[in-house]
Amino acid sequence: MIHPIVKYGDPVLESISQPIEEFDGEFQKLVDDMFESMYAAQGVGLAAPQIGISRRVAVIDVTSGKNPEAKIVCANPEILHTEGEQREEEGCLSIPGFRGQVLRPQFVTIRAQDAAGKEFEMRGEGLLARAFCHEIDHLNGTLFIMHLSLLKRDLIKRKIRKLKKAGGW
Ligand code: NI
């Protein structure tokens, strides 16, 4: 089932999500729905709060569905190690139409559980490293605009307020 993406302004996006404890059929359904919703929105990553569910799980596919083996489920993820730096344009399905340069590590190693609850470690580089950071941020209530300068962030917030008033958000 495709869920609508929650947009900036909804408090769920700025809340700390709760750990996943049950890796049951209901959780599997949530993961399937998240992939479906992410592909429908043409994203490369989606965290549960973005469909209004304050739980610690994100899905990532930096190939946008081109390679089924690239599908990653990160339940209860944590960053173990980072290396290097990259500064690239970043966006978010919950803040459509806005992008900004965000400094992230070039390599990121995470530990997480998969859809069945099995623990794994994975090292990502470049876009995948960025996705790990961006999605784990979501689970902690942090959005990419919080990594921008105050000036840039305020500009985006002002534009969003205008869009909201005009009913376009
Ligand atoms: Ni995002």
Side-chain angles (χ1 to χ4, degrees), residues 7 16 41 70 80 87 108 143 145 150 152:
K7 285 186 186 165
I16 295 182
L80 294 181
R87 186 183 288 277
V108 175
L143 299 165
I145 56 170
L150 192 61
K152 184 87 204 266

Side-chain angles (χ1 to χ4, degrees), residues 50 91-93 134-135 138:
Q50 293 184 277
C92 178
L93 293 175
H134 182 110
E135 300 312 328
H138 269 302

Side-chain angles (χ1 to χ4, degrees), residues 35-62:
F35 273 114
E36 211 180 328
S37 306
M38 177 183 79
Y39 290 132
Q42 295 180 318
V44 296
L46 185 79
Q50 293 184 277
I51 56 166
I53 296 168
S54 197
R55 303 306 297 270
R56 303 189 79 78
V57 58
V59 297
I60 294 172
D61 178 358
V62 294

Side-chain angles (χ1 to χ4, degrees), residues 41-91:
Q42 295 180 318
V44 296
L46 185 79
Q50 293 184 277
I51 56 166
I53 296 168
S54 197
R55 303 306 297 270
R56 303 189 79 78
V57 58
V59 297
I60 294 172
D61 178 358
V62 294
T63 74
S64 303
K66 286 187 195 82
N67 177 4
E69 284 172 18
K71 289 171 78 170
I72 302 167
V73 176
C74 304
N76 303 322
E78 48 183 322
I79 291 175
L80 294 181
H81 181 73
T82 66
E83 247 180 275
E85 287 185 347
Q86 54 169 323
R87 186 183 288 277
E88 297 287 342
E89 282 250 301
E90 198 165 312

